[in-house]
Structures are given as C-alpha cells and as structure tokens.
Amino acid sequence: MSTLQDTPEPASPEKSGPSRLARRFGCLALLLVPFVLLGVIVMAPVWISDFRLARMVDRIKEYPLPPGTDFGYFDPQVEVSGDSGDCWYTIRFDLFTDRPVQEVLNYYRQTKIEDPDGDLGDYEILAWTPFDEPGVQADETSATDSLIIDLDGMYDGAMSDMRCW
C-alpha cells in the first residue's frame, strides 16, 4: 500500500520553466529590440520638431483674434518640408470674418508670435479666400466670409529631421 509520501508530485508550471512557445517569443523580442531602438533614434528629431510646431500652433490659437473674426471649421494644419537640411513649415488655419481681407492680413503681420526657434515674428503671412465662381476677381477692400491664413517660416536645429532632406 502506498502512502502520500510515496506519490510523485505533479510538475507545476512554475518549476518546469517557460514553454517552448514562450522561449520563441522571447528570442523574437530580443531580435526586434535593435530595430525598435533604431526607429526611436531616427524618429526622435521628427517628434521634437513636431512638438515645437505644436507649441507654435497653441500660441496662434491663444493669440487674440481680430475683431469680428472667429476660427473656422478645421484645426490649424502643419506641413513640414525641406531641402539640404533646411526645414520649412507652413501653418494653415481658416477664419470666419466680417472684416476685409487686407485688414485681417495686416493684423497678423503686426503680431509677434514666437516661432519654433523662439524668435518673434520670423515668418511670412499670406491670406487667401476661396471663391465659388471661377474667374471672379476679388476687390482687396471687400469683406469675406471665409479666409485662410498661411504662416510660412523656417526653423533651425533639425539637421537630423528626415523631412528636411
């Protein structure tokens, strides 16, 4: 007759070690770590530049609007491009206004919003209006319902931002 002391204990998962499938996933994860680190190193300058541009967009949104003006339907959009390490950006936002285009354009040309490099007003400002009827020329003093503002500028310190090459 056998006793409880003579019966072998069943192997517990804690004592038997990781399964074959778990070991394979662990090896695969170790093989992927260098590629993930390389991706982080390559993308870090892009993320830093995007953060700096997002701060500028926040400053634009917080700046007082011209009288009789409100932001349009879409949030400001940022486009980054470049050549030979020079980074150019365009921040585009739309406004609804009852003011003449030139008045709103002059208002934004006089503002001093800090750019991504920390300079004040180091960008160009353009304004344009959408037209429903092709071939109709706008009078500069006429009022408009919708107006699109573009802030175009350059920022430094992005030699490793791959969008600038």
Side-chain angles (χ1 to χ4, degrees):
M1 183 176 201
S2 73
T3 62
L4 286 176
Q5 293 175 348
D6 295 340
T7 0
E9 291 183 24
S12 68
E14 299 156 357
K15 293 182 180 178
S16 66
S19 70
R20 187 174 184 177
L21 185 61
R23 284 191 307 265
R24 285 186 179 173
F25 280 130
C27 290
L28 180 63
L30 283 175
L31 290 173
L32 292 177
V33 166
F35 295 107
V36 171
L37 289 175
L38 180 64
V40 168
I41 290 170
V42 168
M43 290 302 295
V46 173
W47 295 331
I48 292 168
S49 297
D50 286 347
F51 176 75
R52 291 168 55 196
L53 289 165
R55 287 184 49 209
M56 184 175 179
V57 167
D58 289 342
R59 287 188 290 271
I60 291 169
K61 287 172 143 181
E62 292 168 359
Y63 199 84
L65 291 168
T69 304
D70 198 11
F71 281 108
Y73 291 123
F74 62 86
D75 285 334
Q77 301 171 356
V78 180
E79 179 185 347
V80 176
S81 61
D83 183 28
S84 302
D86 294 331
C87 287
W88 304 309
Y89 66 88
T90 298
I91 298 175
R92 176 175 291 164
F93 57 97
D94 69 330
L95 300 172
F96 289 123
T97 184
D98 57 2
R99 299 293 200 198
V101 175
Q102 194 62 41
E103 183 180 325
V104 175
L105 186 58
N106 288 339
Y107 176 84
Y108 277 105
R109 285 186 175 157
Q110 294 172 2
T111 61
K112 300 296 180 202
I113 298 172
E114 184 180 334
D115 72 356
D117 290 331
D119 300 327
L120 294 177
D122 190 22
Y123 45 79
E124 293 180 11
I125 300 177
L126 304 168
W128 50 282
T129 59
F131 291 103
D132 290 334
E133 300 175 24
V136 176
Q137 191 171 17
D139 181 14
E140 286 188 18
T141 60
S142 67
T144 182
D145 291 332
S146 181
L147 179 66
I148 299 174
I149 304 287
D150 283 349
L151 278 82
D152 297 322
M154 240 175 100
Y155 62 92
D156 300 326
M159 292 301 286
S160 54
D161 189 339
M162 63 187 154
R163 298 174 294 184
C164 302
W165 290 94

